[in-house]
Amino acid sequence: MLPVGLPATASAAPVAGEDVLYTLDADFDQGVLQDVNHDAPNGDQLQLDRRTTFFPYVNVAASARGTMVRIDVDTGEILGEWLSAPDGQGRNPSRTTVDKLGNTWLSNRNEAGGGQGSVTRVGVIRGGTRVNGDGTPNPTGDHLVGPFSYNTCEDRDQDGLFATSRGLGDIRPWTNAGGVDTDGGVETAADECLITYSRVAGTNTRTVAVDADNNLWTGGSNTRHQLISGADGSPLTAPVDLGCGGYGGLVDQAGTLWSARYGANLLRYEPGTGTGACLDTSHGDYGLGMDPNTGEIWHTGVATGRTVKMDAAGNVLGSFPHGHPRAQGVAVDVDGNVWVAHALDNGTNTVGHLRTDGTFVGNVVLPGGNGPTGVAVDSNGKVWVTNINSNNAQRIDPDAGPVGGGGFPVGAVDLTVDLGAGAGPYNYSDMTGSVLGEITAPIGTWSVVQDGGVAGQTWGTVTWNTEAQGSVPPGTSITVEARASDTEAGLAGEAFAPVSNGVEFALVGRYVEVRATLTASPSGVSPVLSDLRITTSERTGVFSCQATALNLAGVVVARANPPDVPCVDDAVTVADVNLPAGILNVRATALTARTDQTPDDLLALPPAPGDGAVSTARVETTRITTLLVTIEVGVIRATASVTCDAGLNPVFAGSSQIASLRINGVDIAVGSAPLTIPLVIGSLRLNGTTTTSSSLVQQAFALDTALTDVVLGEARVNLEALPGEPGGSPCRV
């Protein structure tokens, strides 16, 4: 589902900008195209390729060594070697399969502890530079540093480097210290391309088959099958047990699970209906392959000398000789060729070649190969075979060799890759990803990384198909996901999250990676992505705030954040004051005012619940004297706040308290309730709150007289729209 078989025109360099529209061919070429194109006459838009190009690797289970080896199918270079399970756990991997992201799942057939088996997933990384642990360049360094053209590995220690295997024999430890990974997990794996280890219901697990949703069907010797998540390896279904299957497996075009051999032989299970059947050995009993053109299933018989062809319902359409009395793995290519591995028997050194109509073409001789067990078709249409006895893998050119039955070339080995002593590659399965890529996944993707220019950038919308040529016909889909990080390398450690067309979302980081996935209808109709725009997101308003301890006829004492707009953290304290004003004299002690905003740098982050502003004013003691009235006040406190709630709506609150009040020697109970007291010199208003849709003012004490006014303990908060954002709010983008 993601870009690994990268076209030469693709670029993975980040695109700079806070608002970038991708709509022309040149725009799309700034990202990575996988199984999508903008070919004439349908330029300046993306549609699915007619056929999927899967990943250019063959992933070999070096069963006897307990590892997996990844080989570049073009060069034969071994790119890495990884343990198949933590120390102390059963290994002996025998099957591998590739998911839509290019990751490789493998099964551990020696694991049955606690009545469970296990599977492991190895990520894929392309590009980057080898460095030492301190980041200094070293062609043989233990780490890779970006930029990467593609990466699904995980920077578990968040050091910006990816510790992973350099090639054959460079196997990083997986200590399982304290048994922390025994029940699942990769916490102690030193190689950061080991990204999942899951315990599953099928013991001595063999079956691993990826479905169209990129989830993994597993099965084992106890005939229990289970679907686990392609995202994190967690179980998605309860175990399914029909008393058969658990050996090699695949998922066909309709989503049907086929799993071979154990119990009552071949399992055919339809997850959509929860129904299935066990098919007897007349249908075959070992390796499974699928015709990418017809969806027909091919199933070898381990000791029959024949391979069976079935339709999608499991009906036998024919049984055909393949040139040897024994067989294991089988694969079918797009050109109508069937390839059969002629078993691990010591001395066996051929791969059978027949046509999908049953015509036997001939046997491909494997010079230097002994004990072929698995076969798979690579992204170039060539065939790979793993040889358990000779510890190697060989590539067959189907267009080479002598002419055989039906006038077709028999094929010939054109490359041999030594896997090292003790590899013991078993590995009959979809080790290249061809079954998924050609049959169960009619999809393609386009992805791009955009550089917002500053750390903590807030991203807000992805909008697509605003142009007339964009279309999503019935049965097709376009889904868009995004992830963000302050470093380009850090993107790989973040999970993609789905985004809706034109709907605000909140991701934070300098870099954002957006991935659009196009899925065809069952009949092959493609959706069209005409355009896609990625923009940053900023709040449409700010908070304002101010707190005042004393205001006597415009003479202000102890005011926090005098500008009011925008709100900032501020605090002011005055020990005491003695102010005359006409007929009044005001003496007060311990006057304080404070304003606080969360977060401090409001515009650097997207809105979140709990964001807000608070103003607080306090006066310890106050004495106001006139010719006719003496007012003595205890502690005065006023608070005003505005907070973004869980729905990102602003919520205002105000309160004030007056500890004690005495007028002309008479005590008056006040507390926090609003109260108005008429006086011979004017009016005294206590605990007053004034609100509007965008503001709140809390006054603890307000004395109005004909000649002058006194306000003690005033706190205010407001919402202020930014220029060009009428009605804007700091709680909204």
Side-chain angles (χ1 to χ4, degrees), residues 127-146:
T129 303
R130 279 281 166 188
V131 295
N132 296 320
D134 60 2
T136 57
N138 181 352
T140 61
D142 285 340
H143 301 75
L144 280 168
V145 66

Side-chain angles (χ1 to χ4, degrees), residues 5-33:
L6 302 179
T9 57
S11 171
V15 179
E18 297 181 3
D19 183 348
V20 180
L21 172 65
Y22 305 88
T23 183
L24 303 177
D25 290 348
D27 301 329
F28 288 123
D29 284 342
Q30 294 178 94
V32 177
L33 291 79

Side-chain angles (χ1 to χ4, degrees), residues 175-194:
T175 65
N176 197 21
V180 298
D181 293 333
T182 295
D183 295 326
V186 292
E187 183 177 334
T188 64
D191 196 305
E192 292 179 318
C193 284
L194 286 166

Side-chain angles (χ1 to χ4, degrees), residues 123-201:
V124 62
I125 192 166
R126 289 176 65 99
T129 303
R130 279 281 166 188
V131 295
N132 296 320
D134 60 2
T136 57
N138 181 352
T140 61
D142 285 340
H143 301 75
L144 280 168
V145 66
F148 302 108
S149 60
Y150 183 68
N151 185 12
T152 67
C153 302
E154 297 177 354
D155 182 12
R156 280 191 284 276
D157 58 6
Q158 296 294 300
D159 64 353
L161 310 176
F162 290 81
T164 190
S165 174
R166 291 179 296 262
L168 187 68
D170 182 23
I171 306 168
R172 309 294 170 91
W174 192 351
T175 65
N176 197 21
V180 298
D181 293 333
T182 295
D183 295 326
V186 292
E187 183 177 334
T188 64
D191 196 305
E192 292 179 318
C193 284
L194 286 166
I195 55 176
T196 308
Y197 174 68
S198 299
R199 300 302 300 273
V200 296

Side-chain angles (χ1 to χ4, degrees), residues 346-350 364-372 385-394 413 415-419 425:
N346 197 22
T348 301
N349 68 339
T350 54
V364 181
V365 177
L366 306 174
N370 188 314
V385 55
T386 52
N387 300 306
I388 192 168
N389 298 322
S390 52
N391 296 313
N392 58 16
Q394 295 181 297
V413 171
L415 179 67
T416 297
V417 178
D418 182 9
L419 301 176

Side-chain angles (χ1 to χ4, degrees), residues 21 54 92 99 200 306 427 453 526 634 642 650:
L21 172 65
F54 42 95
N92 193 8
D99 72 11
V200 296
R306 306 179 72 83
N427 214 90
S526 174
V642 57

